Amino acid sequence: MATVVTEKLSRLFINMRQVPQLLAPLSPSTVSSSEVPKVFWKPYIHAGYRPVQQTWRYYFSTLFQQHNEAINVWTHLVAALILLLRFQQLWQRVDFGQDLHAQPLLIIIVASITYLTFSTLAHLLQAKSEFWHYSFFFMDYVGVAIYQYGSALGHYYYAIEPSWHEKIKGFYMPVAVLLAWLSCAGSCYAKYRYHQSARLLSRLCQELPSGLAYMLDISPVIHRIFTAPPSEREDPALLYHKCQVLFFLIGAFFFSHPYPEKWFPGKCHFFGQSHQIFHVCLFLCTLAQIEAVVLDYESRRHIYSALQGDLAHNFSALCLFTVTCSVLTAAYMARKVKNKLSFKEE
């Protein structure tokens, strides 16, 4: 009996010794760029980094803490939640299961939520280690590729005019798939091979496929904007399309140029980074795009039903193909990173 009591008291004492650890703050303070591996460095951002090799619980807890990725996390987290609510509203009035012509609308909405979610996770959890930094951003690039395909499909299916459809129907969707995959592959390779060095080559690998993809994907919208008769220029869908183009172009500028942190080096560790502005612009672009596509779905059925026929299932299969190729590419690059880091440790 005495032995049992002694054992219980010993366990209680051990548990009491752990109480201060449990009550201690979950997160260490942020650190400077010199205290994290070079792969985490951002141009002109010298502080506000989270320390590496902490627990997963710590990185999830930083959702509610101040660090140099906090606004990047919240901009796309809030955006994903807003789109989820919009999706719930649409689910109540659109028969996604039975209406064949609603499948492309479902794809672009799910693709948008996917890229926003992947981006949120990447910015929240990438500081765990060098391997996870690469892996989460590879996942982010998969989300971007899926969104690029969804955008191309939404514009081609709902927004396109018959005259433009006749010119590009033979190659538009296959090339959109290729460019979406190249965008993912180029971004993964640039991240793996160049990072902050060789900026020109890095930007070519990452931005050239994405730029070409955008030029193709947006072409049905641009054609419609410039050829719309006066009676249709006040069409609400067309106004939303114009907004999405504007927000994308502004966001693309801030994605490619480190302003305003370049103007105020050392002053934008937590707020005012170009990537934060890019996130906001991209969400506004996506929101305007979804509203435009929904309006086109509701008002242009007589046009797209005649143009697209029963091809929606084929476009869904192309989406699955794009996802598969992008995921396999990201997994392959993550394996290369793992081998590279293992070799470095040896």
Side-chain angles (χ1 to χ4, degrees):
M1 183 69 178
T3 303
V4 174
V5 172
T6 302
E7 290 178 357
K8 290 184 177 181
L9 288 173
S10 299
R11 291 174 185 171
L12 179 61
F13 177 72
I14 292 173
N15 291 334
M16 289 179 66
R17 289 179 61 186
Q18 293 175 344
V19 168
Q21 299 176 9
L22 295 173
L23 296 178
L26 286 174
S27 62
S29 59
T30 58
V31 298
S32 68
S33 58
S34 62
E35 298 175 77
V36 297
K38 190 175 181 180
V39 69
F40 297 99
W41 293 4
K42 297 181 177 182
Y44 310 104
I45 306 299
H46 310 308
Y49 294 87
R50 289 165 294 173
V52 300
Q53 302 298 345
Q54 305 299 313
T55 64
W56 286 112
R57 183 187 179 195
Y58 161 66
Y59 294 106
F60 278 105
S61 75
T62 61
L63 178 64
F64 304 103
Q65 297 169 15
Q66 188 181 55
H67 51 85
N68 59 18
E69 290 282 15
I71 293 179
N72 287 329
V73 172
W74 276 101
T75 47
H76 275 183
L77 176 59
V78 171
L81 294 175
I82 291 174
L83 282 185
L84 275 173
L85 291 175
R86 188 71 178 100
F87 186 27
Q88 182 184 29
Q89 294 173 351
L90 289 171
W91 190 269
Q92 296 173 356
R93 73 172 198 256
V94 177
D95 191 353
F96 289 107
Q98 298 298 322
D99 184 3
L100 183 68
H101 294 299
Q103 287 186 10
L105 177 60
L106 177 63
I107 287 173
I108 188 174
I109 294 174
V110 172
S112 299
I113 295 171
T114 298
Y115 97 80
L116 290 168
T117 302
F118 284 4
S119 175
T120 299
L121 291 173
H123 287 284
L124 179 64
L125 302 176
Q126 53 86 23
K128 171 72 172 172
S129 67
E130 289 189 62
F131 172 75
W132 287 111
H133 174 86
Y134 283 106
S135 297
F136 275 113
F137 277 112
F138 292 164
M139 180 185 72
D140 187 19
Y141 302 145
V142 171
V144 171
I146 296 170
Y147 173 62
Q148 285 181 349
Y149 176 83
S151 295
L153 176 58
H155 297 158
Y156 179 75
Y157 204 95
Y158 301 115
I160 199 167
E161 292 290 334
S163 58
W164 191 245
H165 180 271
E166 185 64 27
K167 294 179 181 179
I168 66 172
K169 64 180 180 180
F171 64 87
Y172 180 92
M173 289 308 300
V175 175
V177 171
L178 175 62
L179 290 175
W181 172 76
L182 282 176
S183 175
C184 175
S187 296
C188 288
Y189 183 76
K191 184 73 175 176
Y192 166 78
R193 179 68 176 81
Y194 300 117
H195 191 56
Q196 299 299 340
S197 62
R199 289 288 296 168
L200 178 59
L201 292 174
S202 176
R203 291 178 64 172
L204 281 175
C205 289
Q206 185 171 18
E207 296 178 19
L208 182 59
S210 297
L212 292 174
Y214 183 74
M215 290 171 63
L216 177 71
D217 299 350
I218 202 66
S219 64
V221 171
I222 298 299
H223 175 268
R224 182 174 162 195
I225 289 174
F226 283 102
T227 61
S231 59
E232 296 182 10
R233 288 176 184 171
E234 299 303 318
D235 179 3
L238 206 57
L239 293 176
Y240 276 118
H241 279 306
K242 292 176 182 177
C243 287
Q244 69 144 319
V245 173
L246 176 63
F247 287 131
F248 180 87
L249 293 177
I250 297 173
F253 172 82
F254 284 103
F255 178 81
S256 303
H257 298 84
Y259 301 114
E261 61 264 36
K262 187 174 181 179
W263 294 330
F264 309 103
K267 303 297 184 182
C268 301
H269 296 153
F270 301 110
F271 180 79
Q273 300 170 25
S274 57
H275 201 79
Q276 296 167 355
I277 302 173
F278 163 70
H279 269 213
V280 173
C281 291
L282 190 57
F283 164 58
L284 293 174
C285 167
T286 303
L287 192 61
Q289 179 188 48
I290 295 297
E291 294 305 317
V293 170
V294 169
L295 290 171
D296 284 339
Y297 163 76
E298 294 174 339
S299 64
R300 289 167 57 89
R301 182 175 286 261
H302 62 289
I303 297 176
Y304 62 73
S305 60
L307 292 176
Q308 312 298 353
D310 59 353
L311 293 176
H313 289 312
N314 295 348
F315 296 142
S316 298
L318 277 178
C319 179
L320 181 60
F321 178 74
T322 305
V323 172
T324 301
C325 291
S326 299
V327 169
L328 290 176
T329 300
Y332 171 74
M333 294 304 298
R335 186 173 183 83
K336 286 184 70 67
V337 166
K338 188 173 184 179
N339 292 337
K340 178 182 177 181
L341 294 176
S342 298
F343 178 78
K344 186 172 70 172
E345 289 174 359
E346 292 176 0

